[in-house]
């Protein structure tokens, strides 16, 4: 009670300032923020709860009893979230949900192939269960595959919120618009960025710290809706730290892109691309030198 009285006293002292702030905020109508509010601002916690439960259903719930219990709830919650958004003309929440539900089987098949590719590609994997529960890349890929189907149905806001949630958890940033083929595997995963218009074929393996991005123009809005991220064909391996930029860049089938490579042009099928290693200088340390100093000549 004493704390409450203290808080009230502090508020009463600054009541005029608070009232002035309220009036100023109520009178302020920033066009961008007003437009955003009109488009719909979903509750983040609700979106996270929905994507996590949907992901769990797709990955781990094959029994009819579990599906009968969970799927109606998820369908209803999705419709409720969609009702608060500015959907494309002629689209209703119910129509989106009915179009989305049949795609869950397709998503499950893709994710099963992704898990299999992870097990076959990573000698550290001990079991399929370990991959499902412990691999951050699988969590990120599963989220993106679900969000991608909503993206294809022209659902605004929600798909990006879902993939950004996965980004927060895993450090893997995959835009919901990216088109990703079968048996996709990201080893380790941290720091991977895959842009909206990126196209990735089957049996592609990435390592950590990879960017599949776009060149940055002065006015980015001029390229909205244009393909600006690379195409990665089937059976490509890209090692850690590589950066590949540009919508006209195609990495040909069966190519291997080495670590820390920077690419802004296409390479033909079957290519092996490596960067020249830096020059390493090795010197013997003298007995009277400071052991804590490297003593480089720069």
């Amino acid at each position: 009670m004493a704390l409450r009285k203290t808080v009230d006293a502090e508020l009463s002292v600054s009541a005029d300032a608070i009232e002035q702030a309220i009036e100023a905020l109520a009178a302020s109508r920033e066009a961008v923020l007003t437009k955003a509010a009109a488009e719909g601002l979903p509750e983040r916690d609700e979106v996270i709860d929905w994507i996590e439960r949907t992901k769990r259903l797709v990955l781990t719930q094959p029994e009819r009893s579990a599906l009968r219990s969970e799927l109606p709830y998820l369908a209803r919650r999705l419709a409720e979230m969609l009702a608060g958004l500015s959907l494309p003309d002629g689209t209703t929440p119910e129509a989106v949900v009915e179009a989305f539900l049949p795609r869950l089987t397709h998503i499950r098949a893709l994710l099963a192939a992704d898990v299999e590719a992870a097990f076959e590609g990573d000698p550290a994997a001990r079991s399929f269960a370990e991959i499902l529960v412990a691999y951050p890349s699988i969590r990120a890929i599963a989220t993106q595959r679900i969000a991608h189907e909503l993206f294809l149905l022209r659902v605004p806001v929600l798909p990006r919120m879902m993939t950004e949630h996965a980004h927060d958890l895993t450090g893997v940033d995959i835009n919901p618009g990216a088109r990703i083929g079968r048996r996709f595997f990201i080893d380790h995963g941290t720091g991977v960025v895959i842009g909206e218009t990126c196209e990735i074929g089957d049996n592609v393996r990435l390592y950590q710290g990879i960017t599949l991005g776009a060149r940055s123009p002065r006015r980015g809005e001029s390229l909205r809706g244009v393909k600006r991220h690379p195409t990665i064909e089937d059976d490509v391996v890209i090692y850690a730290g590589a950066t590949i930029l540009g919508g006209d860049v195609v990495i040909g089938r069966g190519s291997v892109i080495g670590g820390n490579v920077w690419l802004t042009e296409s390479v033909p099928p079957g290519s092996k691309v490596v960067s020249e290693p830096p020059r390493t200088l090795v010197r013997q340390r003298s007995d009277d030198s400071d052991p804590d100093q490297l003593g480089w000549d720069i």
Side-chain angles (χ1 to χ4, degrees):
M1 182 63 71
L3 177 61
R4 177 65 182 177
K5 288 181 178 178
T6 301
V7 173
D8 288 343
E10 291 175 353
L11 291 176
S12 64
V13 170
S14 56
D16 289 344
I18 291 174
E19 187 60 30
Q20 289 175 9
I22 290 172
E23 289 301 320
L25 287 169
S28 175
R29 290 290 186 268
E30 298 292 342
V32 170
L33 301 182
T34 300
K35 184 177 180 180
E39 292 169 350
L41 301 173
E43 288 292 333
R44 183 173 183 272
D45 290 344
E46 293 183 7
V47 176
I48 290 174
D49 177 70
W50 186 89
I51 187 61
E52 288 296 331
R53 292 177 71 158
T54 302
K55 186 168 58 177
R56 186 165 57 248
L57 179 144
V58 171
L59 289 172
T60 66
Q61 292 181 351
E63 300 299 328
R64 284 185 174 84
S65 58
L67 294 172
R68 285 199 177 98
S69 172
E70 186 73 350
L71 197 54
Y73 170 81
L74 293 174
R76 183 174 67 254
R77 292 298 300 123
L78 178 58
E80 290 171 354
M81 289 190 293
L82 292 170
L85 299 178
S86 178
L87 296 175
D89 291 342
T91 303
T92 66
E94 294 75 17
V96 173
V97 173
E98 289 189 7
F100 173 74
L101 290 178
R103 303 185 184 203
L104 290 171
T105 304
H106 174 64
I107 295 169
R108 174 175 282 179
L110 288 174
L111 291 173
D114 295 334
V115 171
E116 187 176 44
F119 185 78
E120 293 176 359
D122 185 4
R126 295 290 183 264
S127 67
F128 294 121
E130 180 182 40
I131 293 168
L132 277 180
V133 301
Y135 277 43
S137 63
I138 292 299
R139 297 201 298 273
I141 293 167
T143 300
Q144 196 274 345
R145 290 203 185 278
I146 295 168
H148 180 68
E149 296 302 326
L150 293 173
F151 177 90
L152 294 178
L153 292 169
R154 299 191 299 162
V155 172
V157 185
L158 293 182
R160 189 62 181 269
M161 292 180 72
M162 294 170 187
T163 55
E164 287 303 327
H165 165 62
H167 182 196
D168 289 344
L169 290 179
T170 66
V172 180
D173 182 1
I174 314 176
N175 190 283
R179 297 177 179 270
I180 300 174
R182 297 180 67 257
R183 296 177 57 81
F184 180 54
F185 177 44
I186 307 174
D187 204 346
H188 304 295
T190 306
V192 168
V193 177
I194 301 175
E196 177 192 19
T197 61
C198 192
E199 297 180 22
I200 298 176
D202 297 338
N203 299 304
V204 171
R205 184 190 306 178
L206 309 182
Y207 287 81
Q208 69 274 15
I210 288 169
T211 298
L212 304 179
R215 300 184 186 95
S216 180
R218 289 184 178 274
R219 298 182 63 83
E221 65 268 26
S222 65
L223 291 180
R224 189 167 291 118
V226 176
K227 189 177 188 319
R228 57 196 184 278
H229 302 95
T231 295
I232 312 299
E233 294 186 342
D234 298 346
D235 305 312
V236 169
V237 177
I238 305 176
Y239 282 96
T243 297
I244 304 173
L245 305 178
D248 57 347
V249 173
V250 177
I251 305 302
R253 179 172 185 159
S255 294
V256 176
I257 309 300
N260 300 314
V261 165
W262 177 281
L263 273 178
T264 56
E265 58 187 31
S266 298
V267 300
S271 298
K272 182 177 181 180
V273 183
V274 296
S275 58
E276 291 191 15
R279 179 171 173 263
T280 301
L281 181 63
V282 179
R283 291 178 176 175
Q284 290 295 113
R285 183 172 59 85
S286 62
D287 292 339
D288 58 349
S289 62
D290 186 344
D292 294 328
Q293 298 298 320
L294 292 175
W296 297 114
D297 294 329
I298 300 178

